[in-house]
C-alpha cells in the first residue's frame, strides 16, 4: 500500500490506529460534558443520550471543515513537517499520540474533566521542543510560536468567558422568564421524572448543539493528526493535494510576485528584508516548476515535500513581512496577497486539505467513543461541581454558552476545550444561583489542578517519548 516497505507500512498502520484511538478516547472523555445535563435533568435516559450525542459528534466532524485541523498541523515548524526521513516522522507521531492518550486515560480514570485539547497542544509543543535539540535542526526551529500563542489565548480565555456568560445568562433568565415558567426552570428535577416538554426540548437541543460543535472542533484535531501522519510517512501522496492541477498556482504566483515587486524594503527590519529575498527565491522556484513539463499534470513525487515547504514558507514569511511597520503596502495590495495565499482559491488550497476518508475515519472513531465510557465524567459534571442538584435552567445555560463558544471557535479556526468551557459554564450557573459557596471546593480544586498540570505533563511526556523513539527507530 502506497508503495511502502513492510516495516514502514506497519509503522503507518500503528500510527493511524493510535490517532483513531486518541479520537476514540477523546469521544468518551468529552461526551460527558454534553450529556451530563440531559441525564441529570431526566431529559434523556443515559443510553439514548450517549447514542444521540455520538450521532451529533459524527455529523459535526463531517460538516465542520478543516480550519482547526490545519491549525494543529501548523503548530509544528516547517522543518519538522518536511523531514525526508520517514522514521523521524514516525517518532514524531507516536510521541505526541501516546503522550496525549496516556494523560487522557489517566484523567478519565480519576473522573477529572481534563482537556483533550490542552493535552494534544502540549504534546505537539513537546515534540517541537524535542526536535529543536536534534543535530539535523540547523535553524533551531522548535514551534510555530505565533500559532501557539494564538491557540493559547483561545484555550485560556474560553473557560473564563464560559464561566462569565453562564452567570449573565442565568441573570437574564431570572428577570425575563414569567413566574409560572420560572418555577419549572429553577427547581431541582424530581427523581425519575421527566421535565415539562418545552424544557426537555430546550435541554435536548442544547445537548445536540454542544455535541455537534464538539465534533466540529475536537474532531478536527483528529483529522489534523491523521494528516500529520500521512504527510510525514507517505509525503509522495499527501504532502500536497494531488488531485489539483499544479498549473493553477500560476495565477497566484504571478499576483504575489507583482505585489511583492512594489514592496519598499528600505524601512523593513533586517530579518524581514532577508525574508523578502527568501520568499522571492521560493516563488521563482515554484514558478519554474509549474511552468515546466509535468508528467500527467502532477508534481513529481520527489518534488512534493519541497513544494510543500516552499508553500508554507511563502505564506509564513509574507505574513511576517506585511505585519512589519515598515511595510508600505496598501490595503488593496494586502487583500491581493491574502486572496492568493489563502485556502479559498489561493496557494494554501494545495496544503490545507484532508481526504474524505480521513474525515470519515475520525468521525467514526469519535462517534463510537462518545457512546462508551461516559459515566465517570458525567458523575463529576452532574454532581460534584456544585453543592446542589443541577436545575433545568443551569443545564440549559451552561450548554447554550458552551455551544456558542465552541461554534465561534470553530468559525475562527481555533481549538478550544469543550471540557473546560462546559464545566466552567456549570460552575458559573452554580455561582449565579447561590454564590461562590455553592461550588464544591474539592472538585473545583481537582479540575483546576488537572488544568494546570495538563500542559507541562503532556509537554514533558511527548518530549521524552520523541527522544526515545528517535533513539530506537
Amino acid at each position: 500500500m502506497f508503495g511502502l516497505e513492510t516495516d514502514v507500512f506497519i509503522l503507518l498502520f500503528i500510527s493511524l490506529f493510535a490517532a483513531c484511538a486518541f479520537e476514540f478516547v477523546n469521544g468518551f472523555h468529552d461526551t460527558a460534558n454534553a450529556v451530563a445535563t440531559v441525564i441529570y435533568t431526566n431529559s434523556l435516559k443515559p443510553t439514548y443520550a450517549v447514542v444521540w450525542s455520538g450521532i451529533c459528534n459524527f455529523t459535526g466532524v463531517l460538516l465542520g471543515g478543516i480550519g482547526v485541523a490545519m491549525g494543529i498541523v501548523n503548530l509544528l515548524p516547517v522543518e519538522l513537517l518536511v523531514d525526508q526521513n520517514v522514521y523521524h516522522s514516525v517518532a514524531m507521531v507516536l510521541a505526541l499520540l501516546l503522550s496525549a492518550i496516556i494523560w487522557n486515560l489517566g484523567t478519565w480514570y480519576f473522573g477529572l474533566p481534563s482537556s483533550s485539547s490542552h493535552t494534544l497542544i502540549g504534546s505537539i509543543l513537546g515534540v517541537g521542543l524535542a526536535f529543536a535539540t536534534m543535530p539535523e535542526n540547523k535553524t533551531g526551529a522548535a514551534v510555530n510560536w505565533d500559532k501557539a500563542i494564538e491557540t493559547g489565548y483561545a484555550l485560556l480565555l474560553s473557560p473564563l468567558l464560559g464561566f462569565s456568560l453562564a452567570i449573565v445568562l442565568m441573570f437574564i433568565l431570572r428577570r425575563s422568564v414569567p413566574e409560572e415558567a420560572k418555577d419549572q426552570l429553577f427547581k431541582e428535577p424530581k427523581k425519575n421524572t421527566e421535565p415539562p416538554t418545552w424544557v426537555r426540548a430546550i435541554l435536548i437541543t442544547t445537548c445536540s448543539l454542544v455535541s455537534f460543535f464538539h465534533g466540529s472542533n475536537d474532531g478536527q484535531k483528529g483529522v489534523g493528526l491523521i494528516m500529520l501522519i500521512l504527510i510525514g510517512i507517505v509525503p509522495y501522496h499527501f504532502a500536497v493535494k494531488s488531485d489539483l492541477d499544479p498549473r493553477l498556482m500560476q495565477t497566484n504566483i504571478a499576483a504575489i510576485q507583482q505585489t511583492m515587486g512594489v514592496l519598499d524594503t528600505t524601512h523593513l527590519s533586517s530579518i524581514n528584508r532577508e525574508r523578502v529575498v527568501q520568499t522571492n527565491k521560493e516563488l521563482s522556484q515554484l514558478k519554474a516548476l509549474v511552468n515546466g513539463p509535468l508528467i500527467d499534470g502532477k508534481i513529481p513525487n520527489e518534488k512534493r515535500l519541497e513544494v510543500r515547504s516552499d508553500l508554507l514558507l511563502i505564506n509564513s514569511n509574507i505574513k511576517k513581512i506585511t505585519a512589519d511597520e515598515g511595510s508600505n503596502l496598501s490595503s488593496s495590495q494586502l487583500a491581493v496577497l491574502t486572496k492568493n495565499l489563502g485556502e479559498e482559491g489561493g496557494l494554501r488550497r494545495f496544503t490545507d486539505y484532508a481526504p474524505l476518508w480521513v474525515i470519515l475515519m475520525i468521525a467514526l472513531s469519535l462517534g463510537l467513543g462518545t457512546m462508551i465510557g461516559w459515566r465517570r465524567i458525567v458523575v463529576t459534571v452532574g454532581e460534584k461541581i456544585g453543592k446542589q442538584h443541577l436545575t433545568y435552567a443551569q443545564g440549559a445555560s451552561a450548554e447554550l454558552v458552551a455551544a456558542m463558544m465552541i461554534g465561534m471557535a470553530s468559525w475562527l479556526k481555533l481549538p478550544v476545550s469543550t471540557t473546560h468551557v462546559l464545566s466552567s459554564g456549570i460552575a458559573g450557573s452554580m455561582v449565579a444561583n447561590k454564590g461562590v459557596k455553592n461550588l464544591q471546593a474539592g472538585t473545583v480544586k481537582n479540575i483546576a489542578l488537572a488544568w494546570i498540570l495538563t500542559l507541562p505533563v503532556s509537554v514533558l511526556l511527548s518530549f521524552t517519548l520523541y527522544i526515545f523513539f528517535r533513539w530506537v527507530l
Side-chain angles (χ1 to χ4, degrees):
M1 188 177 183
F2 299 129
L4 298 175
E5 297 177 1
T6 303
D7 59 336
V8 178
F9 176 75
I10 291 171
L11 289 172
L12 172 63
F13 177 81
I14 292 171
S15 299
L16 292 175
F17 179 81
C20 291
F22 168 80
E23 207 58 41
F24 183 85
V25 172
N26 186 17
F28 71 68
H29 193 283
D30 282 7
T31 189
N33 300 289
V35 300
T37 52
V38 289
I39 291 174
Y40 272 85
T41 56
N42 303 315
S43 298
L44 282 176
K45 294 187 181 299
T47 303
Y48 297 140
V50 295
V51 170
W52 176 242
S53 180
I55 293 170
C56 292
N57 268 283
F58 181 89
T59 308
V61 180
L62 290 183
L63 303 179
I66 58 166
V68 176
M70 292 302 106
I72 294 295
V73 172
N74 293 327
L75 276 172
L76 290 169
V78 174
E79 293 83 352
L80 182 54
L81 291 176
V82 295
D83 194 327
Q84 297 280 355
N85 190 314
V86 68
Y87 295 100
H88 294 176
S89 299
V90 171
M92 169 193 73
V93 168
L94 290 180
L96 67 88
L97 281 172
L98 288 178
S99 59
I101 290 171
I102 289 168
W103 185 248
N104 264 358
L105 283 175
T107 51
W108 165 81
Y109 180 80
F110 290 104
L112 294 176
S114 174
S115 167
S116 298
S117 302
H118 266 161
T119 306
L120 180 58
I121 301 302
S123 299
I124 291 174
L125 295 181
V127 166
L129 292 171
F131 175 70
T133 68
M134 295 293 110
E136 72 271 12
N137 187 351
K138 306 299 182 184
T139 65
V143 174
N144 181 347
W145 290 112
D146 290 338
K147 191 65 183 178
I149 291 170
E150 181 184 81
T151 301
Y153 279 133
L155 291 172
L156 176 65
L157 293 176
S158 52
L160 299 177
L161 285 172
F163 179 83
S164 304
L165 289 175
I167 293 176
V168 171
L169 188 53
M170 286 286 289
F171 178 84
I172 293 172
L173 285 175
R174 283 191 178 279
R175 280 155 181 76
S176 60
V177 174
E179 287 299 323
E180 60 273 14
K182 190 181 294 184
D183 290 339
Q184 294 178 323
L185 269 178
F186 289 91
K187 68 180 181 181
E188 292 187 8
K190 295 180 180 178
K191 189 174 181 180
N192 299 323
T193 302
E194 291 183 358
T197 302
W198 66 275
V199 174
R200 188 182 182 208
I202 291 172
L203 288 164
I204 293 175
T205 299
T206 55
C207 166
S208 303
L209 288 172
V210 171
S211 299
F212 176 85
F213 286 123
H214 174 262
S216 72
N217 196 278
D218 275 49
Q220 286 194 54
K221 295 159 194 169
V223 172
L225 283 174
I226 296 289
M227 292 310 297
L228 277 176
I229 294 167
L230 296 175
I231 292 165
I233 300 179
V234 278
Y236 291 169
H237 295 273
F238 298 100
V240 291
K241 193 172 184 181
S242 58
D243 60 350
L244 280 180
D245 188 339
R247 286 167 292 201
L248 293 173
M249 294 186 199
Q250 292 171 346
T251 304
N252 303 127
I253 293 170
I256 294 170
Q257 283 184 318
Q258 183 179 3
T259 305
M260 293 296 288
V262 301
L263 179 65
D264 182 3
T265 61
T266 307
H267 302 292
L268 293 177
S269 64
S270 58
I271 190 170
N272 278 328
R273 285 197 293 271
E274 291 175 10
R275 286 182 177 129
V276 170
V277 174
Q278 182 186 16
T279 300
N280 287 330
K281 178 183 176 182
E282 287 152 357
L283 285 166
S284 298
Q285 289 174 346
L286 271 180
K287 182 177 180 180
L289 176 66
V290 299
N291 287 340
L294 298 172
I295 300 174
D296 297 328
K298 296 184 182 295
I299 298 168
N301 285 347
E302 65 275 9
K303 291 285 186 181
R304 291 189 179 184
L305 266 182
E306 182 182 327
V307 168
R308 182 179 183 85
S309 177
D310 285 344
L311 290 170
L312 294 180
L313 287 171
I314 288 168
N315 184 75
S316 174
N317 286 336
I318 289 180
K319 280 186 176 179
K320 292 171 182 174
I321 292 164
T322 54
D324 192 311
E325 292 181 358
S327 170
N328 66 324
L329 296 178
S330 66
S331 57
S332 60
Q333 290 167 331
L334 290 173
V336 169
L337 289 177
T338 300
K339 176 184 177 182
N340 286 282
L341 288 170
E343 59 269 18
E344 295 291 336
L347 294 181
R348 289 298 289 269
R349 62 188 152 157
F350 287 88
T351 57
D352 292 11
Y353 78 101
L356 179 60
W357 66 266
V358 170
I359 297 171
L360 283 170
M361 186 164 64
I362 289 300
L364 187 61
S365 299
L366 183 64
L368 291 175
T370 298
M371 302 177 193
I372 297 172
W374 51 271
R375 191 177 301 276
R376 288 178 184 271
I377 307 294
V378 161
V379 171
T380 298
V381 173
E383 296 181 8
K384 297 182 180 179
I385 292 178
K387 293 181 178 178
Q388 66 173 107
H389 194 291
L390 202 67
T391 66
Y392 303 133
Q394 289 171 324
S397 298
E399 290 211 317
L400 185 58
V401 166
M404 290 190 300
M405 294 290 299
I406 302 165
M408 181 65 71
S410 297
W411 180 66
L412 294 173
K413 302 177 182 178
L414 293 171
V416 293
S417 167
T418 302
T419 302
H420 289 159
V421 173
L422 188 60
S423 57
S424 63
I426 289 175
S429 71
M430 292 289 175
V431 170
N433 213 28
K434 293 185 179 179
V436 177
K437 293 182 178 179
N438 196 30
L439 296 176
Q440 292 196 40
T443 301
V444 173
K445 178 182 175 182
N446 288 337
I447 293 174
L449 186 62
W451 188 83
I452 293 169
L453 289 178
T454 292
L455 203 61
V457 169
S458 53
V459 167
L460 182 60
L461 270 173
S462 62
F463 183 99
T464 306
L465 286 171
Y466 181 75
I467 300 292
F468 171 75
F469 286 129
R470 282 293 301 269
W471 176 65
V472 170
L473 295 173

